[in-house]
Amino acid sequence: MRTRHPTDPRITAGIVALASIALLIGGAFAGLIFEGASDFSGAWAAFDPYLLRVVRFTLWQAALSTLLSVVPALFVARALSRHPRFLGRAFILQLFAVPLALPAIVAALGILALYGRAGYFAGLFSTVGGGGWPGIYGLSGILVAHVFFNLPLSVRLLLEALRTIPTDQWRLASQLGMGAGPAFRLIEWPTLRAALPGVAGLVFMLCITSFTIVLILGGGPAATTLEVGIYQALRFDFDPARAVTLTLLQIALTFVVVLALTRLGANIVGDTNLPVAQRRYLSVNGTETWLNALLIMLALLFVVGPMAATVTAGLGADLGRLAGETAVRQATLTSVGLAFLSALLSVMLSVALTMARRALALKRAAGARTLLEHATDTGAGFVLVVPPIVIGAGWFLLLRHSGDAFAVAPVMVVTVNAVMAMPFALRAVRPAYDAASERHERLCAQLGIAGWNRFILVDWPSLRRPLATAFAFAMALSLGDLGVIALFGSDSVRTLPYLILARMGSYRTQDAAGLALLLGFVCLALVVVADRLGRGRNHDG
């Protein structure tokens, strides 16, 4: 790729980062195209009633999950917005952030411990239903898990939108003696309505690309999505033609959803923090206060329940025996090692793209941005169009012709998880680097400081906390991921999520609960560290 400024090391690093991402995604597409071309008739024959049923269920569960997550979130967010100060409010918002840090397999085990056939509520449900409780597998389990993850996310996003309402509007409403109904209709609803399409689209995308939740809670062919179908076609049926067809359909659906998100104005890659305006609230009467308290309490119980069940079930396992097992120690070391390398690679790629973007922006004249600058700015967002299981499937099909695909499991896990964590790492790194460049760019140019010397002497002091934040968050994401290792995992290469899945498959649920507790605790600790570092960075700034 030609560029007018090849001598700037930051631009060179950005080109290398883009080439690495293109190689990873391009290799996956090459595997899919090669396999589809070699067995075109088989890929075409995969368009059967079963495939149509899988597509229909994928869209149906995503639509229901979005509806059940976003609609209650509207009322919970408004309830929290109407009561900006009460004891425990900050703690509730922190609890609502916990599902974002939990690996999907940990949350699924918590939901099973709570609502499963042998769960804590099984006796109550059996008594109410007048018969044996069949468990929560199938569509109901998928919906509960998706709402568990996406209801708190929707509440936080909608609450941020409500905080942007100008203070003057609340002051005028207070002077006019406006009640709760007119205030909602004239002030709050227009803001919520503007934010609603982006929030709903984001939740729909998360549900349509859900893999671990459907794999564990689906319960059979009747509750199979496209991503789970890809996994089953490669690991169980070994039907590459069907896997290619499912993968292409998954890419098409995800591309349509991401395109719709961008049209709706949803921010996928950039910083989602919104400016918070100081505001005055209307007085809230006693009836509304009790209703709001009930809404907040119900949402809190729904979110806390699976987390508490995870802790209780995990503590009920023989943790001492698990800690002494060779398989558990090896899986833990493998998970930590791969997650460390994945986070390191993710941060390196994010820094390279951030620096290249800034350097190109400074060298650009007043005209339009070049293609290279646009790629460094939005290139990381395109990885969201191709889910991890899709990249893994493409490389699995490509590598099976050239050797043992399972032998490259560590490389695939590290690279795919690193690229998938990049959009989140960029949110931590980019604002800090742009601010530092604004302060030091002219001085560095005058003194001739560039390359590695500039990074160590000038950029590193400003980037230490953001890089640590991005590293901790990327490591937590990689630790809990099951998408790639589910395809490439084997007895020789096992991570903690893969080992948990194997213990569940052999009906050793107590062991799986104990391992889930360990995995959830480590991931949550990493996200807490990232959050603390991010707050410290904001205070320093």
Side-chain angles (χ1 to χ4, degrees):
M1 184 179 293
R2 294 186 59 187
T3 177
R4 294 185 302 167
H5 308 282
T7 57
D8 194 321
R10 294 178 294 178
I11 299 177
T12 304
I15 294 175
V16 172
L18 286 174
S20 302
I21 299 171
L23 176 63
L24 180 67
I25 300 178
F29 277 100
L32 295 172
I33 294 172
F34 180 79
E35 191 66 38
S38 62
D39 191 8
F40 180 78
S41 59
W44 180 255
F47 284 95
D48 53 12
Y50 171 76
L51 178 62
L52 297 178
R53 187 168 68 247
V54 170
V55 174
R56 184 166 59 248
F57 181 80
T58 302
L59 296 173
W60 176 240
Q61 62 84 22
L64 284 179
S65 299
T66 303
L67 183 67
L68 295 175
S69 299
V70 176
V71 172
L74 286 169
F75 299 98
V76 177
R78 181 178 180 271
L80 288 169
S81 175
R82 297 282 286 178
H83 302 276
R85 294 180 181 87
F86 62 85
L87 183 63
R89 185 179 188 272
F91 181 68
I92 290 174
L93 292 178
Q94 289 177 350
L95 284 177
F96 279 3
V98 171
L100 305 178
L102 281 181
I105 193 169
V106 176
L109 284 172
I111 290 171
L112 285 176
L114 200 62
Y115 306 109
R117 184 177 300 176
Y120 298 117
F121 287 163
L124 175 63
F125 293 149
S126 298
T127 303
V128 173
W133 172 243
I136 200 171
Y137 288 103
L139 178 61
S140 57
I142 295 171
L143 295 178
V144 170
H146 282 166
V147 175
F148 168 77
F149 278 107
N150 296 312
L151 173 64
L153 173 64
S154 302
V155 169
R156 291 170 65 89
L157 293 175
L158 292 172
L159 186 59
E160 288 292 335
L162 288 172
R163 287 175 178 171
T164 62
I165 298 177
T167 308
D168 293 342
Q169 293 188 16
W170 291 109
R171 183 181 298 113
L172 180 61
S174 178
Q175 293 173 352
L176 295 176
M178 189 177 294
F184 174 77
R185 187 176 66 255
L186 299 176
I187 299 178
E188 293 170 318
W189 175 241
T191 301
L192 292 172
R193 184 177 55 193
L196 193 58
V199 174
L202 179 60
V203 172
F204 186 83
M205 176 182 147
L206 293 174
C207 295
I208 208 174
T209 57
S210 177
F211 171 72
T212 305
I213 292 298
V214 182
L215 179 65
I216 295 176
L217 299 176
T224 298
T225 58
L226 286 170
E227 292 207 2
V228 174
I230 295 168
Y231 168 74
Q232 292 173 344
L234 292 177
R235 288 303 299 258
F236 295 105
D237 304 330
F238 198 72
D239 188 351
R242 181 175 293 277
V244 169
T245 305
L246 291 168
T247 303
L248 294 177
L249 284 174
Q250 178 66 53
I251 293 173
L253 285 178
T254 311
F255 178 79
V256 170
V257 173
V258 172
L259 182 62
L261 277 174
T262 55
R263 291 295 181 90
L264 293 172
N267 194 349
I268 301 176
V269 180
D271 192 358
T272 59
N273 293 329
L274 299 174
V276 180
Q278 295 295 326
R279 47 183 289 190
R280 294 176 60 185
Y281 292 82
L282 300 176
S283 59
V284 182
N285 58 41
T287 302
E288 185 184 358
T289 299
W290 283 107
L291 288 176
N292 290 337
L294 179 61
L295 281 172
I296 296 171
M297 186 59 62
L298 290 175
L300 182 63
L301 291 175
F302 181 81
V303 173
V304 171
M307 293 189 289
T310 300
V311 175
T312 305
L315 292 177
D318 191 349
L319 298 178
R321 177 182 57 81
L322 287 175
E325 289 187 13
T326 303
V328 173
R329 292 201 300 267
Q330 289 179 347
T332 303
L333 291 176
T334 301
S335 292
V336 173
L338 295 180
F340 180 87
L341 294 175
S342 178
L344 183 62
L345 179 59
S346 180
V347 168
M348 291 173 60
L349 292 173
S350 300
V351 170
L353 289 181
T354 298
M355 291 183 171
R357 168 184 167 273
R358 179 65 177 172
L360 288 167
L362 291 172
K363 294 178 181 296
R364 169 171 49 92
R369 295 193 301 176
T370 62
L371 179 61
L372 179 59
E373 183 183 352
H374 184 75
T376 56
D377 187 19
T378 61
F382 289 108
V383 303
L384 299 177
V385 180
V386 190
I389 190 69
V390 171
I391 298 179
W395 277 98
F396 188 91
L397 294 171
L398 183 66
L399 293 171
R400 77 183 186 92
H401 296 287
S402 58
D404 185 8
F406 298 102
V408 298
V411 177
M412 293 307 305
V413 171
V414 168
T415 53
V416 174
N417 287 339
V419 172
M420 290 300 158
M422 277 180 53
F424 307 98
L426 282 169
R427 289 174 53 187
V429 174
R430 180 179 292 176
Y433 182 79
D434 288 348
S437 175
E438 191 73 27
R439 295 193 302 267
H440 306 305
E441 193 69 39
R442 182 174 300 177
L443 180 61
C444 290
Q446 292 175 349
L447 297 178
I449 303 176
W452 183 251
N453 290 332
R454 168 176 173 159
F455 182 79
I456 293 297
L457 298 176
V458 179
D459 297 329
W460 174 250
S462 300
L463 292 179
R464 280 181 301 182
R465 281 185 176 273
L467 288 177
T469 301
F471 184 89
F473 198 78
M475 190 170 178
L477 290 177
S478 181
L479 270 174
D481 180 70
L482 184 62
V484 182
I485 196 64
L487 283 176
F488 289 90
S490 62
D491 291 338
S492 58
V493 181
R494 289 185 293 187
T495 61
L496 274 177
Y498 188 82
L499 184 60
I500 293 172
L501 184 64
R503 295 292 170 93
M504 293 180 65
S506 58
Y507 299 102
R508 299 168 66 179
T509 55
Q510 283 294 325
D511 288 357
L515 295 174
L517 178 61
L518 171 63
L519 178 62
F521 176 78
V522 174
C523 292
L524 185 59
L526 285 170
V527 173
V528 169
V529 169
D531 182 66
R532 293 291 178 86
L533 291 172
R535 291 182 182 180
R537 180 193 70 202
N538 292 335
H539 288 310
D540 293 343

